Amino acid sequence: MAETGEAPRAVILTVDDDPGVSRAVARDLRRRYGGDHRVVRAETAASALDALREMKLRGDLVAVILADYRMPQMNGIEFLEQAMDVYPGARRVLLTAYADTGAAIDAINVVDLDHYLLKPWDPPEEKLYPVVDDLLETWLASDHRPVPETKVVGHRWSAHSSEVREFLARNQVPYRWYASDEPEGRRLLAAAGEDGLRLPLVVTPDGECLVEPDGTQLAARVGLATDPSSEFYDLIVIGGGPAGLGAAVYGASEGLRTVLVERTATGGQAGQSSRIENYLGFPDGVSGAQLTERARRQAARFGAEMLTAREVTGLEVNGASRTVRFSDGSAISAHTVILATGVSYRQLDAPGVAGLTGRGVYYGSALTEAAGCAGNDVYIVGGANSAGQAAVYLARGARSVTVLVRADSLARSMSHYLVQQIAEVPSIGVRTATEVVEAHGTDHLERITLRDTATGRTEQVDAQWLFVFIGAAPLTDWLEGVVVRDGRGFVVAGPDLSPGGHPPASWPLDRAPYHLETSVPGVFVAGDARSESAKRVASAVGEGAMAVMLVHRYLERL
Ligand SMILES: Cc1cc2nc3c(=O)[nH]c(=O)nc-3n(C[C@H](O)[C@H](O)[C@H](O)COP(=O)(O)OP(=O)(O)OC[C@H]3O[C@@H](n4cnc5c(N)ncnc54)[C@H](O)[C@@H]3O)c2cc1C
C-alpha cells in the first residue's frame, strides 16, 4: 500500500488488484485532489481494509472510496460492504469493466453505491473528476468532523470506564467518549479487533489501542510523565493538589531541583471543584480545574518535574537522605520532602453502595459525569460546600437535584452564599434529617433507601445517580511509624509536636521542629494533610510556599 500527500486531510482511498490500474487511478486522483486530500492506494481488498481500520483508530477522515469490482478473494462489492462498517459516511464508487455493469447496478442496492465508473475513465476531466467532485461535495455537506483526540469506548455503567474518563478529564487530556453499544463505538471496537467484552478501550491520537488500561499505562501513552529523570533531588513533593503545586512552583522557581509525584491527576480536591469563589484575586470565581491547570503549567515552566499516576507507598530515612518509595518498588531520594497528600473522600457505609460505585454512585466526579445526568433525577449526599457546589453545577442539566443531609438544616455546614444559591434554583430540593441506608441495583444503581433520622421511617426512591460528598480523611497509613500523626491520621507538625514544650523523643536535633516540619527533620507537611489545617485552597497554597521557605532554612543548616 502506498500513500501520497502529508497533511492530515480527508482521504480518498482507491483499491485495485492490477498494479498498473491502481497506480493510474491514484495518479489521476492525486493530480486533481492531492492538494486538499490524501490519496491512499491499495492493491488488495484486505490491505485496504487494514488501512481503513488504522485510519479509523487514528481518527482520520475518509471521504471517498473507489474499489475495483473484479478482485481475487473479495470482490469490490464485498469490500465496500465491509468498508461501510468502518466508514459509513464515506462515498462509494465501483470501478467496473463494461461486461460487469449488471453487477454494478445490483450493488447500488447492496452497498448503497453512489456511483459506478466504467474503465477506462479517460479523459479523467470528463469521466472521473466530475463524479469525484460531486461525491466530495456531498460528503462535505454532511457532518464529518475529525476526531484527532483520544477516544474512549466503554460502558455507561462500568466502574473502570468511569475511572478512565475521570483520569483523562482531571489530567486535562481531551478525549471523546463513545458508548460501546452505539454505532461509532461498535465500529471502533471492530477496528481494534475487540468484541466489547473487555472495556474500556482507549485509542490514543496515533491509533494505539489500550484495553482495560490502568492509570500508569494510560498516563504514559497520553503524554504524561511517569518516570523520574533523576535518582536524587533537592526536594520531592508528594501530592499535586494546591499545596503540592504551590510547593513545586516556589521550589522550582527558587532553584531547587524539584520533583512532584501525584498518584492520579494534579489538582487534587480543588481540581474537582466546579467553582471556587473564595480564592483571592478571582472575584467572579474560578473553576478548580482552571486554577490548578495554570498552577501545573507554572510549575512546569519553572522546571519542576511532574510525575503522574505514581503512588507513593513508603518514606525512609537514610542519614541525611530521604527516600520515597513507589507502589512498584522503585524509589527516588532527596535532601527534603514535602508531604502534600491532602485528604480523600470518605466512603458511604451502607449496604449496596460499594458494589455500585462507578455504576451510578460517584465520589466527587460530578464534573465528569454531569453530561450523563442531563434530563435525569440526581441525588447528592452531604451538607458541606463541596455538596452545595455539585448541586448548583449538576442542576444546569439534570431534571431535578435532591440534596440529602442528616442535619436539620444546610446552614450548619454550608457557606451562606451557597445556601442562597441553592434556594434560588427551583430544580434543587433539600431533604434534611435524611440519610441513605441502602443502594439497590444489579448492573447499575436503580433505587436508594432513605431513612428519616427523626422518625426512623424508611422509603425507597428510584435513583440512577448518587453523588457522595460526606467529608474526607487523610490516606496516610503508609507513614505509620515514620512520622507522628494524630488520632485521625493527619500529620502533626511544628509547635503541635511539642505540646508540653518538648519535641517527641525520636526528634534528633537540638533545635525545635520548624513550623511545618514533621517529627522527621527535612520532611515537611502542607495543606489538608496537616493536623489542624484550614482545609481551604488559599491556605494549602500558602503552606506549600511556606514549606519551601523552611526547606531552604533546613538546607542552609544541613
Ligand atoms: C468539591 C470540592 C470543592 C471545594 N471548594 C472549595 C472552595 O470553594 N474554596 C476553598 O477554599 N476550598 C474548597 N475545597 C477544599 C480545597 O479543595 C482543599 O482544601 C485543597 O484542595 C487542599 O489542598 P491539598 O493540596 O492540601 O490537598 P488535595 O487537594 O487533597 O490534594 C492532595 C493530592 O495528593 C495526592 N496524593 C494523595 N496521596 C498520595 C500518595 N500516596 N502518592 C501520590 N499522591 C498522593 C492526591 O491524589 C491529591 O491529588 C473544596 C474541596 C472539594 C472536594
Side-chain angles (χ1 to χ4, degrees):
M1 198 193 71
E3 285 190 9
T4 55
E6 284 169 0
R9 292 156 294 187
V11 167
I12 301 176
L13 180 133
T14 160
V15 51
D16 198 309
D17 65 306
D18 179 332
V21 178
S22 169
R23 273 195 295 273
V25 186
R27 184 199 57 220
D28 284 346
L29 289 170
R30 213 160 47 230
R31 193 178 297 149
R32 174 151 176 131
Y33 304 104
D36 296 328
H37 296 82
R38 193 154 61 97
V39 177
V40 176
R41 85 179 168 85
E43 292 180 9
T44 66
S47 65
L49 284 172
D50 283 347
L52 284 173
R53 287 188 197 109
E54 267 176 41
M55 290 189 276
K56 181 84 194 170
L57 294 173
R58 282 202 306 262
D60 295 345
L61 295 175
V62 176
V64 179
I65 303 173
L66 296 96
D68 181 36
Y69 172 63
R70 271 183 197 262
M71 292 191 289
Q73 276 102 36
M74 192 187 290
N75 72 33
I77 299 173
E78 289 161 344
F79 162 75
L80 285 173
E81 210 171 351
Q82 294 199 28
M84 260 171 83
D85 289 341
V86 190
Y87 277 101
R91 309 323 310 175
R92 295 172 282 276
V93 181
L94 198 64
L95 295 171
T96 58
Y98 183 72
D100 296 323
T101 45
I105 290 165
D106 289 347
I108 290 178
N109 295 325
V110 180
V111 290
D112 194 11
L113 196 67
D114 291 295
H115 211 93
Y116 68 91
L117 266 179
L118 285 178
K119 293 197 249 183
W121 53 88
D122 279 332
E125 286 73 14
E126 273 176 35
K127 297 192 175 156
L128 177 67
Y129 298 154
V131 171
V132 178
D133 282 350
D134 193 36
L135 295 179
L136 284 173
E137 199 178 311
T138 317
W139 179 81
L140 272 176
S142 52
D143 180 22
H144 293 296
R145 285 165 296 169
V147 185
E149 68 257 40
T150 299
K151 297 178 265 299
V152 182
V153 185
H155 194 275
R156 186 183 174 205
W157 301 115
S158 138
H160 197 167
S161 299
S162 158
E163 276 164 29
V164 162
R165 292 172 65 188
E166 177 87 1
F167 179 87
L168 293 173
R170 291 190 53 202
N171 277 297
Q172 315 276 325
V173 178
Y175 73 90
R176 196 173 288 186
W177 161 258
Y178 300 92
S180 54
D181 55 1
E182 70 175 91
E184 188 64 4
R186 280 200 295 268
R187 283 193 278 275
L188 283 165
L189 285 169
E194 285 296 318
D195 55 12
L197 291 177
R198 300 184 306 153
L199 291 172
L201 166 75
V202 177
V203 187
T204 65
D206 52 6
E208 193 184 353
C209 296
L210 309 170
V211 180
E212 298 182 324
D214 64 26
T216 316
Q217 289 170 313
L218 209 50
R221 296 308 188 354
V222 295
L224 300 164
T226 52
D227 291 321
S229 66
S230 166
E231 289 175 2
F232 198 89
Y233 295 83
D234 294 322
L235 169 63
I236 300 172
V237 180
I238 308 174
L245 287 168
V249 167
Y250 287 96
S253 68
E254 291 166 18
L256 297 175
R257 286 169 301 158
T258 304
V259 62
L260 180 149
V261 185
E262 167 55 51
R263 71 177 168 177
T264 50
T266 50
Q269 298 166 72
Q272 298 175 45
S273 166
S274 50
R275 193 151 206 86
I276 297 169
E277 306 212 29
N278 56 358
Y279 189 68
L280 189 74
F282 292 88
D284 303 317
V286 58
S287 90
Q290 248 175 2
L291 183 71
T292 53
E293 170 55 14
R294 284 170 179 223
R296 194 195 61 76
R297 279 194 279 126
Q298 202 171 7
R301 194 167 62 81
F302 282 125
E305 204 176 312
M306 269 170 287
L307 310 182
T308 310
R310 296 302 301 264
E311 179 159 18
V312 174
T313 52
L315 175 65
E316 295 155 25
V317 180
N318 302 307
S321 151
R322 310 285 173 256
T323 298
V324 160
R325 204 160 283 289
F326 298 115
S327 48
D328 65 357
S330 62
I332 48 174
S333 300
H335 293 301
T336 58
V337 169
I338 295 179
L339 302 169
T341 49
V343 292
S344 298
Y345 289 106
R346 245 184 34 219
Q347 309 289 300
L348 178 62
D349 188 15
V353 168
L356 292 166
T357 299
R359 301 164 184 269
V361 177
Y362 301 93
Y363 291 89
S365 15
L367 298 182
T368 316
E369 300 297 335
C373 303
N376 287 289
D377 300 319
V378 171
Y379 287 84
I380 293 177
V381 188
N385 282 2
S386 50
Q389 285 179 9
V392 172
Y393 186 76
L394 292 170
R396 293 184 199 164
R399 182 166 58 187
S400 75
V401 175
T402 308
V403 182
L404 307 168
V405 257
R406 273 198 183 143
D408 53 11
S409 104
L410 275 184
R412 280 173 182 270
S413 48
M414 198 177 285
S415 293
H416 180 63
Y417 78 91
L418 268 172
V419 177
Q420 275 185 321
Q421 279 183 20
I422 284 180
E424 284 162 14
V425 182
S427 59
I428 304 182
V430 179
R431 281 183 68 158
T432 53
T434 304
E435 59 185 3
V436 176
V437 290
E438 191 166 356
H440 315 264
T442 40
D443 290 339
H444 62 89
L445 181 69
E446 289 162 19
R447 289 176 316 283
I448 50 178
T449 303
L450 304 178
R451 195 172 79 92
D452 186 316
T453 55
T455 63
R457 208 169 54 85
T458 60
E459 164 195 10
Q460 269 195 23
V461 294
D462 288 341
Q464 290 198 311
W465 301 91
L466 181 71
F467 292 88
V468 184
F469 297 88
I470 51 167
L475 295 182
T476 54
D477 286 353
W478 56 278
L479 289 167
E480 171 65 29
V482 186
V483 298
V484 172
R485 297 177 303 149
D486 69 15
R488 293 188 299 150
F490 290 96
V491 178
V492 183
D496 293 339
L497 281 166
S498 318
H502 300 287
S506 62
W507 178 254
L509 304 180
D510 292 340
R511 65 167 173 83
Y514 295 136
H515 202 73
L516 297 175
E517 200 168 25
T518 68
S519 56
V520 174
V523 175
F524 298 82
V525 60
D528 282 13
R530 187 174 66 78
S531 179
E532 305 299 329
S533 62
K535 312 285 185 293
R536 290 282 181 276
V537 177
S539 50
V541 173
E543 287 186 13
M546 181 174 166
V548 168
M549 191 267 285
L550 297 169
V551 160
H552 283 297
R553 192 181 295 174
Y554 170 84
L555 289 174
E556 278 160 19
R557 299 184 190 176
L558 198 62

